[in-house]
Amino acid sequence: MAATLPSPPAPQDWILAFLKAPHPGTVKSRLATELDAPAAAAIYRSLLTRSLAALRRFPNVVLRHAPDDAGPELESLLRPGWRLRPQGEGDLGARIHRAVTEAFQQGASRLVVIGTDAPGIEARKPGRSEEHTSELQ
């Protein structure tokens, strides 16, 4: 009798979305030099809302936030299956490296890392899943 091998687990596609709490004076600092800090924060808040709306149909999204203690004020951004995690210390490369490492340790098979202040980001219908999880532009 031939042994039956278990089916491989379904791939877990994750999105790691890096964001900041939209506090005036801490976001879009270059833009704030032309406008003011509250206006720059309002623009960032709009970009954040738009970016997260584009991700709404994806179940495995981790919002990596800064500052690290901003989790409670960002809970309203969560959708079913989404999680909040602090970015932690270090430069952007170190924070991304840590987030990617943790995601794979926690079961991600494939992932995409995005920022949340890109005005043109939108989710498209994925192509063949063997090739890519989703197309983000």
Side-chain angles (χ1 to χ4, degrees), residues 13-72:
D13 301 332
W14 286 29
I15 297 175
L16 304 178
F18 277 68
L19 62 100
K20 292 181 180 181
H23 301 155
T26 65
V27 293
K28 307 310 280 173
S29 56
R30 289 185 296 260
L31 187 57
T33 62
E34 298 296 321
L35 301 171
D36 61 17
I43 291 169
Y44 176 77
R45 195 174 296 108
S46 177
L47 293 170
L48 174 62
T49 299
R50 180 182 166 90
S51 295
L52 295 181
L55 303 178
R56 70 184 169 274
R57 67 185 181 91
F58 296 98
N60 295 318
V61 176
V62 181
L63 304 180
R64 298 298 296 225
H65 62 81
D68 288 353
D69 62 356

Side-chain angles (χ1 to χ4, degrees), residues 1-6:
M1 178 186 246
T4 303
L5 298 175

Side-chain angles (χ1 to χ4, degrees), residues 83-105:
R83 295 173 300 286
L84 279 171
R85 293 277 298 136
Q87 290 182 22
E89 297 296 319
D91 64 21
L92 182 59
R95 290 178 283 151
I96 291 173
H97 182 266
R98 181 173 37 256
V100 167
T101 300
E102 287 177 11
F104 283 125
Q105 288 172 344

Side-chain angles (χ1 to χ4, degrees), residues 100-115:
V100 167
T101 300
E102 287 177 11
F104 283 125
Q105 288 172 344
Q106 295 171 9
S109 301
R110 300 176 292 192
L111 59 90
V112 174
V113 177
I114 65 165

